[in-house]
Amino acid sequence: MRSILKVLGVVLLVVAVVLPLIASADTLSDVQTRGKLICGVNSTLPGFGFLDSATGQFSGFDVDYCKALAAAIGLDPGNDIDFVPLTAGERFTALQTSQIDVLIRNTTWTLTRDSQALGAIFAPTTFYDGQGFLVRKSDNIKSLKDLNGATICVTSGTTTEGNLADAFREAGLTLKTKVFAKTEAAFGTFDDGGCDAYTSDKSQLASLRTISKDPSNLTILPETISKEPLGPLTRQGDDKWFDVVKWTVFATFFAEEKGITQANVSSFQSDNPSILRFLGKEGGLGAKLGLNEDWAVKAIEAVGNYGEIYTRNLGPNGLAIPRAGSLNASFKNGGLLYAPAWR
Amino acid sequence: MSRSATTIEIDRPPVIRSGPLRWLKENLFSTWYNTLLTVGSLAIALLLAVLFGHWALTEAHWAVIPANLKLLFVGTYPLDQLWRIWATLYMVALFLGFSGGLHRGLILQIALMVAAATVLLALLPFAWATRLWILATALSTLVGFGLGRLTRQSRTSRWLEISLWLLSFPLTLVLLKGGLFLPVVGEAHNVGGWNKWGFMLNLLGAVVGITLSLPIGILLALGRRSSLPAVRLVSTLYIELIRGVPLITLLFMASNMLPLLVPTTFRPDIVIRAMMTITAFSAAYMAENVRGGLQAIPQGQFEAAYAVGLGRMLTTLLIVLPQALRAVIPAIVGQLISLFKDTTLFGFIAILELLGMVDSVLGNLQWRGTIFELYIFIGFIFWIFCYSLSYISRRIEKNLGVGER
């Protein structure tokens, strides 16, 4: 009896150690077997991820990329996604421990995060953000230098705090901060006059300005003190899955470049070989990713091309972040969005 | 030295003046500084009331509440399955009415309170269909009451009552989450797990937490007073370790550390982990509450029990525990109330309970900046529930005569 228990114990231990390794090795087939994509998102960020009161469903820029991914894998983007709301502090643990398949939660691409240290790997950037400052026009602050010795409200636990310290050290300015755990509290304090400036990514500044007591008195300083390329993340050591995520993002870039939209993708006519390969009519590219041949078509059918995703979530009716002339424009218009060769 | 006759003055009985003016003079305006304090406090209170009233009537965007009512209360629960939540409510109302019909007394009062509350709720400007759904709760209580009155003579109805209440727990979970004959919510619908169910999660967390932590707490309390050193040590260690750590730390451990240690296959989902944590946490406090009750039992009670031939087990079950638990009812209800409020900490591990749901609603550009409206609303909701609980606890104490002996 004793020995049986011992053997059982050893077996259980081995199973416990080996199973997670097996489970995390091939996310793509895991997701396909499960029939459900588990997507880590932000549930509190305007434009990027929130619960829509009208539909009771998740909505936003990042959420649309979850949908595109689900559609590319052959799942139903309306029903087969489990959105897991995550806080900034939880997101990497959730990814490392396979609680989610992919993290699409306005996460900045940095060396540390991309390295062994976090065990994460970044798919192409979907939104180039950058940290800036929101100040009151009446305070007559025109540039970063005018913030010498000023009190700055900032949210903790993100890259924002570190960037702020770096920028002030570089410019030789004295930094005084008020650190908050919550965006609402930090911005509220600034809006009530408790700080001279509020710092965050410019996309967020744009959305926060709309809830200020006096939006017309607020202005965003011209300086951008950081690079904040935001994009999806997967786990290191699962290249097959990473390729799927990466090329789904590229598919939205490529579709915009070639004028393929949500409305016309199913009936798109072209003699261009790379478009034919994109539409899955030749080339067998889907099989190379382990997907159906119509994977890109499905992704575009679900959410549209990059331009459509951007307009829907960040365009004039939403956050109203200007796209023209920014890094988020297509490479044809001087931006950074560029899909590699479709062959 | 001549002595003149002194007349004795007799004090007349004091005239007792009463009335509101008198009360005011004695309590609020007795001295000049009391008068100053009264006037000052009144002025401040009035100012605050005017400021708040002005904000509430002119500036506040109360539209955010009705527009997000469904999200706040049941979160992403699929609309076509909402009847299951109503069914759960009707079931509890029915059982309450049934128990009320059988025993009358306090339980009937509670049932009537619930019925009255639902009728009041139906007076709010809901759609007519919603009102019917709400009113059916009161109807369900009435039906239960009738059944209880009719069958109160039979012995089987008492047994039926106990088994119904025991069954209500798994039934609630099956109704809400699925299983047996119902589709599982979260598998067939685009709502993911049940980590986005809004206020329902607060209620579920509190009910699960209190139901499970009471028996565990009693066992721990008995264990801590056990004469077996190993049992005593383990119980004491558990209680002191858990009580030495803040709940939020335990929740972070359950959310972030547990997944590092336990492989995916054996990992319960985040809501279960949170409920396990809050149960484990609450059990340690419950144990100390119960231990307080146990220590209040005089030695004579044990001796008397042994003298009539009861063993240790029966002494504990029949003599000690009933008295001990009765003595600590206020503490237990206090624990229940704080457990209920603690469920809002789930929001910090990204479970969209009521507080987390508020953050999510605020993430919608349409509702940005309505943070005060939302927080006032959820504060009100929590107040209603917590006040009702403490009211019921006061009634229980009165009925049991706690504090009168």
Side-chain angles (χ1 to χ4, degrees):
Chain A
M1 190 63 203
R2 270 277 167 83
S3 56
I4 295 177
L5 277 181
K6 262 186 200 166
V7 170
L8 207 69
V10 170
V11 168
L12 268 180
L13 199 74
V14 169
V15 168
V17 172
V18 172
L19 258 180
L21 300 178
I22 298 171
S24 62
D26 187 357
T27 312
L28 178 58
S29 69
D30 278 355
V31 174
Q32 281 168 336
T33 332
R34 200 194 296 130
K36 215 166 171 95
L37 173 72
I38 306 177
C39 202
V41 293
N42 195 336
S43 64
T44 62
L45 190 63
F48 289 86
F50 60 92
L51 271 172
D52 190 347
S53 17
T55 59
Q57 305 284 341
F58 275 89
S59 178
F61 186 87
D62 284 347
V63 170
D64 277 353
Y65 270 98
C66 293
K67 290 181 181 167
L69 186 58
I73 303 165
L75 301 178
D76 171 7
N79 282 318
D80 296 339
I81 310 175
D82 186 356
F83 292 104
V84 177
L86 292 168
T87 62
E90 283 177 325
R91 53 186 165 180
F92 299 117
T93 325
L95 185 66
Q96 283 160 356
T97 56
S98 307
Q99 293 180 67
I100 52 176
D101 298 319
V102 60
L103 177 69
I104 315 186
R105 191 204 174 280
N106 55 294
T107 306
T108 304
W109 190 351
T110 69
L111 188 148
T112 315
R113 287 174 177 177
D114 207 352
S115 69
Q116 286 290 322
L118 266 184
I121 182 164
F122 280 79
T125 298
T126 50
F127 185 80
Y128 291 92
D129 210 342
Q131 191 176 338
F133 295 89
L134 197 60
V135 296
R136 278 176 285 273
K137 286 178 188 160
S138 51
D139 285 349
N140 215 19
I141 298 168
K142 298 267 186 254
S143 74
L144 190 62
K145 289 200 180 62
D146 297 333
L147 284 174
N148 194 15
T151 312
I152 293 162
C153 280
V154 59
T155 316
S156 66
T158 61
T159 42
T160 321
E161 226 182 325
N163 291 334
L164 180 66
D166 284 357
F168 270 63
R169 199 173 73 182
E170 193 190 342
L173 304 173
T174 325
L175 175 65
K176 273 198 286 186
T177 54
K178 279 189 187 169
V179 184
F180 296 84
K182 288 211 159 207
T183 307
E184 287 80 14
F187 180 76
T189 307
F190 161 71
D191 206 31
D192 290 337
C195 292
D196 301 306
Y198 175 79
T199 184
S200 185
D201 293 350
K202 285 186 166 177
S203 64
Q204 202 174 23
L205 297 183
S207 87
L208 284 171
R209 187 161 55 169
T210 62
I211 62 161
S212 165
K213 288 170 188 157
D214 186 8
S216 57
N217 189 27
L218 295 186
T219 182
I220 298 173
L221 288 185
E223 280 95 343
T224 304
I225 62 165
S226 73
K227 291 176 175 175
E228 306 284 352
L230 314 177
L233 287 82
T234 63
R235 277 179 292 280
Q236 278 186 6
D238 190 352
D239 300 1
K240 204 172 147 194
W241 175 238
F242 175 68
D243 283 343
V244 170
V245 177
K246 178 166 68 180
W247 282 90
T248 304
V249 174
F250 282 144
T252 62
F253 297 171
F254 186 86
E256 185 184 27
E257 181 191 330
K258 302 294 181 199
I260 305 170
T261 65
Q262 193 170 12
N264 69 18
V265 62
S266 52
S267 58
F268 202 81
Q269 298 297 326
S270 173
D271 297 329
N272 180 323
S274 70
I275 292 181
L276 288 173
R277 286 193 287 269
F278 180 87
L279 297 173
K281 291 183 177 153
E282 53 183 64
L285 295 186
K288 290 175 183 163
L289 286 175
L291 301 173
N292 298 329
E293 290 308 318
D294 63 350
W295 67 277
V297 175
K298 290 282 179 221
I300 302 304
E301 258 177 12
V303 293
N305 64 37
Y306 183 88
E308 292 174 285
I309 299 174
Y310 191 100
T311 311
R312 185 182 315 127
N313 298 296
L314 310 176
N317 294 327
L319 279 182
I321 305 171
R323 187 175 174 217
S326 77
L327 296 179
N328 296 307
S330 168
F331 71 99
K332 285 171 152 178
N333 302 324
L336 287 181
L337 303 187
Y338 178 85
W342 221 267
R343 63 171 70 243
Chain B
M1 204 164 132
S2 69
R3 285 176 59 112
S4 61
T6 52
T7 52
I8 301 163
E9 290 215 2
I10 301 165
D11 285 337
R12 294 207 175 139
V15 179
I16 301 167
R17 282 182 221 131
S18 59
L21 278 178
R22 181 81 191 161
W23 182 90
L24 281 177
K25 188 164 165 35
E26 274 177 6
N27 289 289
L28 298 177
F29 300 101
S30 55
T31 57
W32 66 267
Y33 52 84
N34 270 353
T35 308
L36 204 67
L37 278 176
T38 303
V39 172
S41 322
L42 266 181
I44 292 175
L46 207 66
L47 183 72
L48 287 178
V50 166
L51 283 178
F52 178 78
H54 181 259
W55 172 82
L57 292 176
T58 60
E59 287 175 39
H61 301 286
W62 294 110
V64 65
I65 312 287
N68 292 289
L69 213 52
K70 194 240 161 196
L71 268 189
L72 291 172
F73 278 95
V74 296
T76 57
Y77 206 87
L79 278 173
D80 58 343
Q81 301 288 317
L82 270 189
W83 63 270
R84 287 158 64 164
I85 298 175
W86 289 112
T88 312
L89 282 179
Y90 299 158
M91 179 186 75
V92 175
L94 185 80
F95 291 179
L96 257 182
F98 185 60
S99 286
L102 280 181
H103 308 290
R104 305 188 116 168
L106 180 69
I107 186 88
L108 181 59
Q109 286 174 20
I110 296 176
L112 287 178
M113 259 172 63
V114 172
T118 49
V119 173
L120 277 181
L121 196 66
L123 291 178
L124 291 175
F126 287 114
W128 277 103
T130 319
R131 280 186 179 158
L132 287 181
W133 282 108
I134 296 172
L135 281 176
T137 317
L139 189 73
S140 182
T141 317
L142 274 182
V143 171
F145 176 72
L147 288 176
R149 290 308 291 165
L150 286 176
T151 58
R152 68 184 185 283
Q153 304 294 353
S154 95
R155 275 179 66 84
T156 44
S157 66
R158 296 293 157 97
W159 284 109
L160 186 66
E161 185 199 9
I162 294 174
S163 27
L164 278 181
W165 279 113
L166 285 179
L167 257 178
S168 71
F169 198 54
L171 261 179
T172 303
L173 287 180
V174 168
L175 266 173
L176 292 180
K177 189 78 176 77
L180 295 183
F181 49 93
L182 286 167
V184 175
V185 174
E187 304 272 317
H189 295 86
N190 178 24
V191 285
W194 46 335
N195 57 343
K196 294 168 283 242
W197 281 7
F199 189 55
M200 219 164 34
L201 282 177
N202 297 94
L203 290 176
L204 273 179
V207 170
V208 169
I210 213 71
T211 323
L212 297 182
S213 72
L214 186 62
I216 302 176
I218 292 174
L219 285 180
L220 281 170
L222 292 172
R224 196 167 182 175
R225 284 166 56 90
S226 162
S227 51
L228 304 169
V231 175
R232 199 167 58 227
L233 183 76
V234 170
S235 306
T236 310
L237 262 181
Y238 176 86
I239 293 171
E240 294 307 330
L241 274 179
I242 296 282
R243 291 207 313 159
V245 182
L247 176 56
I248 188 72
T249 314
L250 292 173
L251 283 172
F252 279 138
M253 280 175 69
S255 142
N256 289 336
M257 276 182 61
L258 195 87
L260 292 173
L261 308 174
V262 185
T264 342
T265 341
F266 309 114
R267 202 185 290 158
D269 76 63
I270 183 81
V271 179
I272 302 265
R273 296 207 300 263
M275 284 182 178
M276 277 161 58
T277 311
I278 206 163
T279 306
F281 180 80
S282 175
Y285 281 86
M286 199 60 89
E288 289 300 274
N289 287 340
V290 174
R291 193 166 67 97
L294 291 175
Q295 274 168 345
I297 308 297
Q299 197 58 35
Q301 296 282 329
F302 291 85
E303 285 162 5
Y306 295 147
V308 294
L310 292 180
R312 292 184 76 111
M313 178 85 122
L314 284 178
T315 305
T316 309
L317 277 180
L318 299 176
I319 308 293
V320 179
L321 268 183
Q323 299 188 66
L325 289 181
R326 188 153 89 161
V328 294
I329 281 174
I332 289 179
V333 177
Q335 178 70 31
L336 172 59
I337 292 176
S338 85
L339 177 86
F340 176 52
K341 290 187 288 187
D342 281 347
T343 54
T344 50
L345 290 177
F346 289 2
F348 288 91
I349 52 171
I351 292 177
L352 298 187
E353 45 66 67
L354 190 51
L355 214 61
M357 201 49 93
V358 162
D359 281 346
S360 206
V361 169
L362 287 171
N364 190 340
L365 214 53
Q366 194 185 354
W367 306 118
R368 290 235 85 174
T370 53
I371 189 161
F372 291 116
E373 292 85 339
L374 285 165
Y375 277 159
I376 287 173
F377 177 70
I378 63 174
F380 183 63
I381 297 289
F382 271 96
W383 179 80
I384 289 181
F385 275 83
C386 293
Y387 183 77
S388 314
L389 282 175
S390 79
Y391 178 78
I392 291 171
S393 125
R394 281 205 304 274
R395 298 303 303 243
I396 297 177
E397 278 170 50
K398 220 170 169 185
N399 270 25
L400 292 175
V402 178
E404 285 170 19
R405 289 174 304 158

